């Protein structure tokens, strides 16, 4: 219950849609705002793995709590600071704070379910929480814009209070110490020799390749999502509709998370992953052949909808293969790889976009997704084989 309250309240991200405008309101130039964004992303990338390792040392709950405290502190300072250097430096605090939460929050949920021997329900529970968070974020981003018309500082104070209350919800969560830490020295060393205790099932290389393949797929999907602004503009869709599309995306994503639970009643997780990638390939191909703008928009909505289902399934697969002692570390590494792949794919797609037509761009992306899907399917099937052999033995 307390984790659910944390997930809900921590979604009060009123500043997410206006934080760059707030910096402008404080008098920062476009160049200084760009520096803030660079520092934010650089600190996120730099701190992702170290904070994941720390999360395994101090506990996933404590790691998320620390992240919430830093986010609360960040919001309060942002509301009161006027010095440009301090405001820019806050980008580093924000980036570092999110890395304490990233990976550790989902690891904490898995560990809570694992204690009650309910880890098989992780996909279902997590998808419901993601749906609630996505809806809440969409509402709060809208609310932040409305409140900012009257008081910019109030937006940050509300967000800071929400992060502090989220931390208090985490304090209420009690769980046993990890069993891995009770192993004697010889057992720990024996476990360490089994590829550093990171992954439960053989082959470890297959698991890593699955993560890499999925991360590249996810990078293409995220890059495509961001590129939609330019794609829509290039085919003549007006700015108002483009803005509405992205505002609605949070609510669309929430529907995809809810849908996961219903799909699981019909097909299993493996089929959902395979069919999801296949469906995404078909959808992207449909974008190549459709000419009507309204049809293009509808298909684009579906093209942003399906990857959320694929991500939710892949996340549950990765959770199953991680040993608890290193869960936060591995999830932080996975998050870093996904972020890196998104940056690479987005950069590559951006450089190609002006060189070709929209149709040719989408066709090239579709071919890439088909190739990556085939690779991901292969490694996922191999993962299942390794897990079944381990369960039998």
């Amino acid at each position: 219950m307390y984790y659910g309250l944390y997930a809900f309240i921590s979604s009060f991200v009123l500043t997410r849609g206006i934080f760059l405008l707030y910096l402008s309101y404080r008098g920062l130039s476009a160049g200084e705002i760009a520096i803030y964004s660079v520092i934010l992303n650089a600190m996120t990338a730099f701190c992702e793995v170290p904070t994941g390792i720390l999360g395994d040392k101090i506990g996933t709950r404590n790691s998320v709590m620390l992240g919430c405290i830093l986010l609360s502190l960040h919001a309060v300072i942002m509301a009161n600071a006027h010095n440009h250097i301090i405001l820019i430096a806050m980008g580093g605090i924000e980036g570092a704070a999110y890395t304490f939460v990233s990976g550790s929050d989902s690891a904490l949920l898995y560990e809570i379910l694992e204690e009650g021997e309910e880890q098989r329900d992780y996909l279902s529970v997590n998808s419901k929480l993601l749906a609630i968070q996505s809806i809440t974020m969409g509402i709060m981003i809208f609310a932040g814009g409305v409140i900012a018309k009257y008081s910019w500082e109030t937006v940050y104070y509300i967000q800071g209070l929400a992060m502090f209350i989220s931390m208090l919800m985490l304090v209420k969560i009690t769980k046993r110490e990890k069993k891995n830490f009770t192993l004697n020295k010889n057992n720990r060393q024996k476990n360490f020799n089994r590829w550093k205790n990171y992954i439960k099932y053989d082959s470890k290389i297959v698991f890593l390749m699955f993560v890499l393949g999925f991360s590249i797929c996810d990078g293409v999907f995220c890059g495509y999502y961001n590129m939609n602004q330019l794609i829509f503009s290039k085919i003549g869709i007006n700015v108002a509709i483009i803005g509405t599309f992205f505002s609605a995306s949070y609510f669309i994503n929430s529907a995809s998370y809810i849908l996961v639970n219903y799909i699981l009643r019909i097909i299993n997780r493996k089929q959902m992953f395979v069919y999801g990638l296949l469906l995404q390939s078909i959808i992207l191909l449909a974008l190549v052949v459709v000419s009507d703008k309204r049809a293009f928009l509808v298909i684009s909505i579906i093209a942003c909808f399906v990857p959320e289902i694929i991500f939710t399934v892949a996340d549950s697969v990765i959770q199953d293969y991680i040993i608890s002692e290193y869960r936060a570390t591995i999830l932080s590494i996975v998050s870093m790889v996904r972020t890196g792949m998104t940056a690479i794919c987005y950069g590559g797609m951006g450089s190609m976009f002006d060189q070709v037509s929209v149709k040719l761009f989408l066709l090239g992306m579709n071919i890439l997704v088909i190739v990556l899907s085939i690779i991901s399917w292969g490694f996922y099937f191999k993962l299942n084989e390794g897990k079944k052999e381990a369960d039998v033995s």
Side-chain angles (χ1 to χ4, degrees):
M1 181 182 73
Y2 288 115
Y3 185 92
L5 289 172
Y6 152 76
F8 171 65
I9 298 171
S10 64
S11 301
F12 285 33
V13 288
L14 288 82
T15 65
R16 181 162 295 183
I18 59 171
F19 72 98
L20 296 181
L21 298 176
Y22 176 75
L23 294 174
S24 178
Y25 161 77
R26 283 300 194 199
L28 272 68
S29 66
E32 288 173 322
I33 292 173
I35 293 173
Y36 178 98
S37 299
V38 169
I39 291 175
L40 170 64
N41 288 287
M43 282 298 290
T44 301
F46 179 77
C47 295
E48 190 72 69
V49 175
T51 53
I53 295 173
L54 181 62
D56 282 323
K57 296 295 183 182
I58 66 175
T60 51
R61 186 198 66 164
N62 294 334
S63 177
V64 180
M65 286 174 59
L66 183 55
C68 288
I69 292 171
L70 288 175
L71 287 171
S72 183
L73 180 66
H74 167 268
V76 172
I77 294 175
M78 288 290 286
N80 291 278
H82 294 270
N83 184 281
H84 289 196
I85 295 177
I86 293 176
L87 287 168
I88 291 171
M90 285 300 99
I93 300 297
E94 184 179 13
Y98 277 119
T99 62
F100 279 101
V101 177
S102 173
S104 290
D105 56 353
S106 57
L108 174 60
L109 174 60
Y110 193 92
E111 289 169 5
I112 291 171
L113 294 172
E114 195 174 37
E115 281 195 352
E117 297 183 351
E118 298 174 329
Q119 60 268 34
R120 290 183 179 274
D121 296 330
Y122 173 80
L123 177 56
S124 176
V125 173
N126 190 45
S127 62
K128 291 175 183 175
L129 289 174
L130 287 173
I132 293 171
Q133 287 181 305
S134 187
I135 293 172
T136 306
M137 285 181 182
I139 295 171
M140 290 302 159
I141 289 172
F142 173 78
V146 173
I147 296 171
K149 292 180 180 180
Y150 304 97
S151 172
W152 285 94
E153 290 77 11
T154 300
V155 177
Y156 275 93
Y157 281 130
I158 294 174
Q159 181 159 314
L161 179 61
M163 293 303 110
F164 182 75
I165 295 175
S166 297
M167 183 273 294
L168 295 180
M169 293 300 102
L170 292 168
V171 171
K172 296 288 187 178
I173 297 175
T174 57
K175 61 189 192 71
R176 298 188 300 271
E177 293 296 320
K178 296 176 182 177
K179 295 179 180 179
N180 298 51
F181 288 116
T182 64
L183 296 173
N184 61 46
K185 183 176 180 181
N186 291 333
N187 285 337
R188 279 202 302 267
Q189 184 61 39
K190 181 180 178 181
N191 243 357
F192 183 81
N193 291 334
R194 291 186 62 225
W195 214 69
K196 300 180 180 180
N197 265 5
Y198 279 7
I199 302 166
K200 290 180 181 177
Y201 309 109
D202 288 326
S203 156
K204 293 358 182 225
I205 298 299
V206 172
F207 175 80
L208 293 179
M209 293 306 296
F210 168 77
V211 171
L212 181 60
F214 158 70
S215 297
I216 298 173
C217 268
D218 194 57
V220 174
F221 297 149
C222 289
Y224 162 72
Y225 177 80
N226 294 327
M227 290 294 295
N228 263 323
Q229 295 181 47
L230 299 177
I231 293 172
F232 292 161
S233 178
K234 201 168 184 177
I235 66 174
I237 295 174
N238 65 55
V239 176
I241 294 177
I242 295 174
T244 302
F245 176 91
F246 282 94
S247 176
S249 66
Y250 282 92
F251 298 97
I252 294 168
N253 290 347
S254 69
S256 69
Y257 302 137
I258 294 172
L259 188 60
V260 167
N261 291 288
Y262 292 100
I263 297 175
L264 279 173
R265 298 174 185 176
I266 304 170
I267 59 177
N268 59 37
R269 191 172 63 175
K270 180 176 73 173
Q271 292 169 324
M272 196 186 305
F273 183 76
V274 172
Y275 296 155
L277 287 171
L278 179 60
L279 179 59
Q280 184 69 357
S281 299
I282 295 172
I283 292 167
L284 293 175
L285 183 59
L287 287 172
V288 177
V289 299
V290 73
S291 55
D292 182 76
K293 291 180 183 178
R294 287 172 295 183
F296 191 92
L297 271 173
V298 171
I299 297 172
S300 296
I301 289 173
I302 301 172
C304 295
F305 175 93
V306 175
E308 297 300 324
I309 296 176
I310 298 171
F311 166 76
T312 307
V313 174
D315 173 64
S316 71
V317 172
I318 291 170
Q319 291 277 9
D320 284 348
Y321 280 77
I322 303 172
I323 287 178
S324 293
E325 187 175 349
Y326 298 102
R327 189 174 302 280
T329 302
I330 289 294
L331 291 178
S332 292
I333 293 173
V334 171
S335 178
M336 183 184 69
V337 172
R338 288 180 59 237
T339 302
M341 288 299 104
T342 298
I344 292 171
C345 292
Y346 186 53
M349 293 164 76
S351 63
M352 289 295 297
F353 187 73
D354 288 331
Q355 310 301 320
V356 297
S357 67
V358 170
K359 297 294 185 183
L360 188 59
F361 175 82
L362 291 170
L363 179 61
M365 186 174 65
N366 185 58
I367 293 171
L368 179 60
V369 168
I370 291 173
V371 172
L372 291 171
S373 296
I374 294 172
I375 294 172
S376 297
W377 291 335
F379 286 119
Y380 185 49
F381 293 150
K382 285 288 185 181
L383 277 180
N384 273 344
E385 290 176 6
K387 189 173 186 297
K388 287 178 181 177
E389 290 174 3
D391 290 340
V392 170
S393 60

